[in-house]
């Protein structure tokens, strides 16, 4: 398995792989082969290209509050992307009342950044 990330951001231990396959709906049928922790959109693209070449599914995971069983892999031939490292707030437009954020931004971080501009997230 050839992965385009530094080894320190590839998790292969069984306990972590199983934990990351769980959400509020319960545990996955099979743990993914690896949990990958990209930190840039370019790394996500490289992982997706490598997964396609190796016949692996890619399962994205943000904060882990899914209720849908979306982190489950029916056969374990998957790489789970832990997207918490993509935690940048790209822009907050006070006039348009919009924010552009990466997949790993928390509601707490967005709340704090919006409050600095006199705004708040509706959730």
């Amino acid at each position: 398995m050839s992965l385009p990330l530094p080894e320190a951001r590839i998790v292969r231990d069984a306990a972590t792989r199983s934990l990351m396959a769980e959400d509020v709906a319960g545990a996955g049928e099979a743990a993914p082969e690896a949990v990958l922790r990209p930190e840039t959109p370019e790394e996500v693209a490289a992982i997706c290209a490598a997964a396609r070449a190796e016949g692996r599914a890619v399962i994205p995971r943000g904060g882990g509050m899914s209720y849908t069983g979306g982190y489950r892999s029916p056969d374990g031939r998957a790489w789970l992307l832990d997207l918490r490292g993509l935690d940048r707030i790209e822009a907050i437009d006070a006039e348009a009342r919009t924010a552009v954020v990466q997949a790993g931004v928390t509601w707490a971080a967005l709340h704090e950044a919006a409050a600095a501009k006199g705004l708040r997230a509706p959730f």
Side-chain angles (χ1 to χ4, degrees):
M1 169 171 37
S2 175
L3 298 169
L5 282 181
E7 194 62 34
R9 291 193 277 128
I10 301 169
V11 180
R12 292 186 173 94
D13 73 87
T16 301
R17 291 183 300 114
S18 292
L19 178 65
M20 295 298 282
E22 292 183 20
D23 69 4
V24 177
E29 292 86 17
E33 288 180 327
V35 174
L36 311 179
R37 295 188 166 139
E39 294 180 351
T40 67
E42 294 79 16
E43 287 179 341
V44 172
I47 290 166
C48 289
R52 181 179 172 95
E54 299 216 10
R56 299 298 186 267
V58 174
I59 302 169
R61 180 184 169 103
M65 291 301 294
S66 172
Y67 292 84
T68 64
Y71 311 133
R72 296 179 179 180
S73 169
D75 62 7
R77 291 179 49 84
W79 298 341
L80 189 140
L81 301 189
D82 177 354
L83 297 172
R84 292 177 294 177
L86 282 90
D87 60 356
R88 291 160 198 77
I89 297 173
E90 303 283 344
I92 296 178
D93 183 332
E95 187 174 316
R97 297 186 178 273
T98 60
V100 177
V101 303
Q102 293 182 342
V105 171
T106 65
W107 283 110
L110 180 58
H111 175 76
E112 185 177 313
K117 295 182 176 277
L119 301 171
R120 69 175 181 81
F123 301 106

